Amino acid sequence: MLGRDLTQALADKYRVETFIGAVKTILDQSEAAARAQIRAIADGEYRYETFFDNDGESDEPLPIRVKVIIAGDEMTIDYSEIADQVRGCINSGYYGGGRTTARVAFKYLIATDEMANEGTFRPLKLILPEGKILSAHPTAPMGNYSQPFPTVIDAIIKALEKALPERVTGAHFGTFSGVRFRGKRDNGAPFDCHDSGHGGWGACATHDGAGPFRTMAHGDTRIIPVELQESMYPYRIVEFSLREDSAGAGKFRGGLGFHERYQILGPCDLQAMFDRVKFPPWGVHGGKEGKSGRITVVKKSGESEVIYKSKAYPLEPGDSIIVETGGGGGYGPPSERAPELVERDLRRGYVSPEAAAQDYGVKVGLS
C-alpha cells in the first residue's frame, strides 16, 4: 500500500503524462545498458549439462541441460533439453520457474550495476516448451517447486564460463539442506520444526567464495535462535561450527559449509532434503568442486547411517544427527593460490593439513 500511495503522489505532483514518460525513460535506459553488455560477449552457443539428484519419488537423476545463445545484443536461454515434468513435487510453471531462473542468472551476469526492471530483461529471450520441469502443466505437483532453481541458475552461469571468464563463479552449494523434525508433545499436541541449511558460495576471479549463506532461491527464510529452538522442540544443539575442507580448492577457494550436531531428547521423525550429492558444486577455470552436504544419524547404540533424503526417519532419545552442509566451488588452479592464504586458512581451521598438502602442495606439521 505504501508503494501504491507514493506512486500516486508522484503522478499527482508531476502529472500522469510526465510520470509515464519518466518510467519509459528509466526502462529504456536499463534496456540499453543490458544490450551494451551483451554486445561485448562473443556471438555463439554456450552449453552446460549437469543433473538434479532425483525428484524425491525415484532415484533417477534429472538432466539440467541449458544452452545460452548470444546473438548481437540479445541473449536467449534455451531449456528445450531440460528434464520433463516429474511425479515428485519439484515442478514449476513457465513464469514462476523458467522465466524466474533465467532472469536471476541473467541479472547475475549482465548489467549487474543497473537496477532490475522490465527494461533490463527486454534483451533476454526464452525457449521453453510446455511440460518441462520449469514449465509444468497446472496439475503437476509443485509443493517444493523451487528445489531445482539453484542448480539451474548455476548451470546457466557455468555455460558462460568461456564467454565471461571474469564474471562467472564456481557453483554454490545449491540445495536447501532441509532438516525437519515432526512429532507430538507430552500433551499430545503436534509439533513441526522446519529448518534449512547455509552453505558455501562459489569463488570468483577476485576473491574467495562467501558463506555460509542460504541458497540464491531461499527467499525470506529466517534464522531461528538456538535458545528458542531448544525451548520448543525435543533436541539440543551441542555443536555448530564451520565445516573444515568443505570448500572447493582453487586460486580462490569456495565458501565453507557448516557442521551442526543435534542431540535428540524425545521421539520424533526426521525429514531430510539434500541435493547436489551425486553432482557436487563444480569449480570454474580449473577450480575444484566443493563437498556435498549430508546428514549422519548416530543411534544411541553407536551405529550410524548417512542419509540425504527421507520423509519420516524415526529418531529416539539418545540418538543424534550431524548436519553437514556443502561448500562452494573454487576458481582457478589451486597451484596458483598464494601460500600465505593457504597458511591463513590452516590457522583458521578452514583447511586441514592433509587437504593443504593434497590440494595446494603446502605441508605443515605432516611427517
Side-chain angles (χ1 to χ4, degrees):
M1 292 178 65
L2 178 60
R4 178 202 64 190
D5 294 344
L6 292 174
T7 300
Q8 181 66 55
L10 280 173
D12 290 342
K13 181 177 180 179
Y14 295 105
R15 301 177 63 85
V16 172
E17 296 80 4
T18 302
F19 175 80
I20 292 175
V23 170
K24 182 180 183 301
T25 298
I26 291 171
L27 297 183
D28 290 346
Q29 289 174 341
S30 296
E31 177 185 1
R35 290 189 183 279
Q37 290 204 12
I38 296 171
R39 279 195 298 271
I41 306 172
D43 284 2
E45 296 183 356
Y46 304 91
R47 301 172 183 264
Y48 188 66
E49 174 184 287
T50 185
F51 293 83
F52 193 73
D53 283 354
N54 55 63
D55 69 350
E57 296 296 327
S58 73
D59 199 37
E60 189 70 23
L62 308 178
I64 306 297
R65 299 189 185 100
V66 298
K67 178 169 67 174
V68 181
I69 304 164
I70 303 296
D73 60 359
E74 289 189 348
M75 175 188 292
T76 301
I77 296 179
D78 186 349
Y79 286 134
S80 298
E81 297 183 61
I82 207 164
D84 293 332
Q85 68 181 61
V86 292
R87 290 190 303 115
C89 58
I90 59 170
N91 302 288
S92 57
Y94 180 97
Y95 294 102
R99 188 174 73 170
T100 293
T101 49
R103 285 187 170 193
V104 172
F106 180 84
K107 194 65 180 73
Y108 198 87
L109 295 167
I110 304 298
T112 55
D113 295 331
E114 297 291 324
M115 64 187 74
N117 55 45
E118 287 302 312
T120 305
F121 299 115
R122 285 173 183 165
L124 175 64
K125 310 302 177 183
L126 197 61
I127 300 175
L128 178 54
E130 288 186 15
K132 297 292 185 178
I133 194 174
L134 300 178
S135 59
H137 299 297
T139 56
M142 299 186 182
N144 292 317
Y145 70 96
S146 57
Q147 292 285 341
F149 286 9
T151 301
V152 174
I153 295 166
D154 270 347
I156 296 170
I157 294 170
K158 173 71 171 177
L160 289 164
E161 179 176 10
K162 292 182 179 179
L164 293 171
E166 299 301 316
R167 280 195 215 163
V168 298
T169 59
H172 73 316
F173 73 115
T175 170
F176 290 173
S177 308
V179 180
R180 191 169 193 169
F181 300 95
R182 291 172 169 168
K184 291 189 175 181
R185 306 183 191 279
D186 292 339
N187 63 3
F191 66 83
D192 186 348
C193 172
H194 186 197
D195 199 5
S196 55
H198 303 62
W201 281 49
C204 68
T206 56
H207 56 78
D208 294 341
F213 294 140
R214 296 200 190 277
T215 73
M216 61 180 69
H218 252 95
D220 59 354
T221 311
R222 300 295 182 91
I223 299 173
I224 307 301
V226 169
E227 295 82 0
L228 182 59
Q229 293 185 57
E230 293 181 341
S231 71
M232 297 179 65
Y233 304 111
Y235 58 73
R236 182 173 294 118
I237 297 175
V238 296
E239 184 180 358
F240 197 9
S241 62
L242 294 174
R243 184 186 178 193
E244 187 179 62
D245 293 337
S246 57
K251 177 181 180 179
F252 296 103
R253 61 155 176 76
L256 281 80
F258 69 57
H259 175 108
E260 185 173 16
R261 186 181 185 104
Y262 297 78
Q263 181 181 348
I264 306 304
L265 306 178
C268 58
D269 290 336
L270 170 67
Q271 178 180 346
M273 190 172 291
F274 277 63
D275 207 87
R276 288 275 180 98
V277 175
K278 299 176 183 176
F279 308 93
W282 50 82
V284 292
H285 298 297
K288 303 300 183 181
E289 65 185 28
K291 280 189 178 178
S292 297
R294 64 182 182 181
I295 293 179
T296 304
V297 180
V298 182
K299 307 297 287 185
K300 60 183 177 182
S301 64
E303 297 180 357
S304 64
E305 180 182 2
V306 175
I307 63 173
Y308 303 102
K309 290 185 179 178
S310 69
K311 293 185 177 179
Y313 191 104
L315 298 173
E316 298 293 336
D319 296 344
S320 62
I321 68 166
I322 301 169
V323 177
E324 295 173 291
T325 60
Y331 186 105
S335 60
E336 295 181 7
R337 186 163 179 80
E340 59 269 23
L341 295 180
V342 180
E343 293 168 2
R344 180 203 65 185
D345 288 351
L346 278 163
R347 292 194 304 271
R348 294 179 176 178
Y350 299 165
V351 176
S352 68
E354 293 76 14
Q358 178 177 337
D359 293 332
Y360 299 107
V362 174
K363 297 182 179 181
V364 178
L366 296 176
S367 57

